[in-house]
Structures are given as structure tokens and as C-alpha cells.
Amino acid sequence: MRRLLVAAALIAAAGCGTTTAQPLGEVQLSAADALAQTAQKAEDVTSYAADIVVDFSDPKGSTGNVRGTMLLQQKPTLASDINLSQVSFAGQPLPGGVRAILVDETAYLKLDVLKQLTGTTKPWVKVGLSEVGDDASVRQFLSQAQQIDLKSSVALLTASKDVKAVGNETVGNVQTTHYAGTFPVAEAVTLLPKESQDALSGQLSAVKDMKFDAWIDDQGLPRKIQLNGAAEGATFTAALLFTSFNEQLSIDAPPADQVGEMPKNAPVTE
């Protein structure tokens, strides 16, 4: 489950970089300044909703994909709902997909293989963060959820040295400026909070330079972010299409009669 949550984190990126002038709103800004403004805007985003699209292949040519949605709320308390309704690899779908809800420091996981491991008959398994170990364990679990925070994701692309504006396009009925560039992964990861660096650097360590595209609206908010990477014969394309910002979201725990308990000796972070 940790890998699934981190994968969601990686595709939640927005960007920053260097030259090429392009208008944003009423002000003429360089590509670097326009995307830096996006990073600043991300500081004030308290919630967002997005569609997730991931396609990948391994060195042997097998392909896979992930499709789903993401809801994240920072205030008044951290809450998230990642619903990966379609997950497949080498032509084999993952039955039921994957869903993870975090509410009131309790995680609810819905994954058929997890039901088999725990022996529960309920569709959901509950993991109370205050019950999974010492404070360090709780902080680790919370930090994994916070890695999908837009603010942290934006920081990755601020390492770009070659971003440029490539045109104006409409995304989700919103007019945007399209920016493209690359960023060095090793340098970008150092821009994140320390608690996020280890997990993300491990997932991205094989990729040296990440290609990205970012579609930014006139308010300085990202409407679509796409990452493209390749390493050791494997490739992936990951995109996030943002559908709302700073709106009231409905993130609720599953009905109590559908939730089972996680056995104390069962793994909760892998």
C-alpha cells in the first residue's frame, strides 16, 4: 500500500523553471516566474480534486495502467480519498482496484488481496494510526498521505532549468498556458521536506531527468500536470487533471458495518 500511495504522490506534481515570456493573467511573466507563481499559489490551496491517469511498461515490454480519482483536504484536518478504480498489468486487472481513505487519523483500505491476507469478510480494513506503533510510526504513515500534497509536489519541478511556454490550450473548459521542460530528479527531491525525501528518492532514483508538461490557468493554478520518465528499459507517463480547488469536499469513512479490523501482526505500510 505504501507504494500505491507514493505512486499517487508522484503524479500530483506541478512545475517551475526558467525562461521564455508568456502572459499569465494581466501580467507578462517569464516561464520561470509564471511557474514560480504557481508554486506560491499552491501554498494557499486547502483542497483539490483530480483525475489520475498512469500508463507504464517494463523492460520486457509488458504494459500496465492505472485510472482513478483523488480528493485531498488539508484543513480543518488532513483527509484524503484515493480511488484507483482501474489497475492492470500485462493484461491482468487487479479485481476491485484499490481505494484508500484517510479520515481523523484513521486509514480505511479496500483491496481484495488485503482481505485475503487478513481473513476479514468485510470489504474495508481499518487501521487506527494511534494503534499501529509508536509516535514515529504514526508520523511516517501521516507523512505518506501528506506526500500527495500539491505544495510538496510543486517543489519537485522548481528544479527545472529549461522550462518554456509552448502555447495556449483549453483544459477542462479552462484556458491555460502550456509549459514544458525537464528537471533533475536528484536535485528536485532535495527541495522537498525531509520526511518526504527518502520515500520519493527511492521511487525515482533510477530516473535522472524527468520530462514534464504543466497547463496553468490565468489564476496561476495547475489544471493538468504530466510526467514522462524512462529508466533501465522501463517507461511511464503519469498525468493529473485537476477538477476543483479550494472547494468543500466530502471525504467520509465507510459505513461501520462494512469495516473490519486490521490484525495486529498484519503489515499496514507495504
Side-chain angles (χ1 to χ4, degrees):
M1 184 55 63
R2 173 188 297 171
R3 295 191 180 106
L4 290 169
L5 291 176
V6 171
L10 301 182
I11 62 179
C16 182
T18 58
T19 56
T20 306
Q22 190 73 14
L24 181 67
E26 300 299 323
V27 181
Q28 187 82 9
L29 299 174
S30 70
D33 290 340
L35 292 178
Q37 179 172 306
T38 296
Q40 187 63 43
K41 289 281 187 177
E43 297 278 348
D44 299 324
V45 173
T46 59
S47 68
Y48 62 84
D51 295 330
I52 302 168
V53 178
V54 182
D55 295 291
F56 55 90
S57 66
D58 68 10
K60 296 182 180 180
S62 295
T63 61
N65 60 71
V66 177
R67 302 289 186 271
T69 59
M70 177 192 302
L71 302 177
L72 187 136
Q73 170 188 286
Q74 290 286 2
K75 296 179 180 180
T77 59
L78 177 66
S80 63
D81 184 344
I82 302 173
N83 186 8
L84 306 181
S85 57
Q86 178 182 327
V87 180
S88 68
F89 181 69
Q92 298 298 316
L94 181 66
V98 181
R99 191 169 180 186
I101 297 176
L102 178 65
V103 179
D104 296 329
E105 296 194 1
T106 299
Y108 300 88
L109 310 178
K110 188 177 184 182
L111 178 63
D112 283 355
V113 68
L114 189 60
K115 289 174 58 180
Q116 298 171 11
L117 289 173
T118 61
T120 181
T121 59
K122 306 289 187 178
W124 292 87
V125 174
K126 179 173 68 172
V127 184
L129 301 189
S130 61
E131 302 170 358
V132 299
D134 57 22
D135 290 344
S137 299
V138 175
R139 288 195 299 271
Q140 181 185 35
F141 202 102
L142 284 171
S143 71
Q144 290 169 8
Q146 290 170 324
Q147 285 166 12
I148 57 177
D149 170 47
L150 178 61
K151 179 176 65 174
S152 297
S153 301
V154 166
L156 284 174
L157 283 87
T158 62
S160 178
K161 304 298 191 297
D162 61 2
V163 64
K164 61 181 182 296
V166 296
N168 297 317
E169 300 174 21
T170 299
V171 176
N173 296 320
V174 177
Q175 185 66 29
T176 70
T177 300
H178 180 185
Y179 298 92
T182 64
F183 65 88
V185 171
E187 179 180 341
V189 169
T190 65
L191 302 176
L192 299 178
K194 184 62 175 69
E195 60 270 19
S196 300
Q197 290 183 22
D198 293 341
L200 292 184
S201 61
Q203 294 291 325
L204 293 175
S205 58
V207 183
K208 292 184 178 180
D209 294 304
M210 187 78 70
K211 296 180 180 179
F212 73 90
D213 292 88
W215 289 260
I216 310 301
D217 68 18
D218 288 346
Q219 303 303 311
L221 292 171
R223 290 294 168 171
K224 181 180 178 181
I225 302 298
Q226 181 168 298
L227 302 179
N228 294 277
E232 302 176 353
T235 66
F236 76 89
T237 298
L240 215 64
L241 179 64
F242 294 92
T243 55
S244 74
F245 294 99
N246 300 322
E247 295 183 4
Q248 183 66 40
L249 300 178
S250 178
I251 303 178
D252 300 312
D257 62 357
Q258 297 183 23
V259 179
E261 295 289 338
M262 174 72 75
K264 293 184 182 299
N265 61 348
V268 297
T269 58
E270 293 294 344

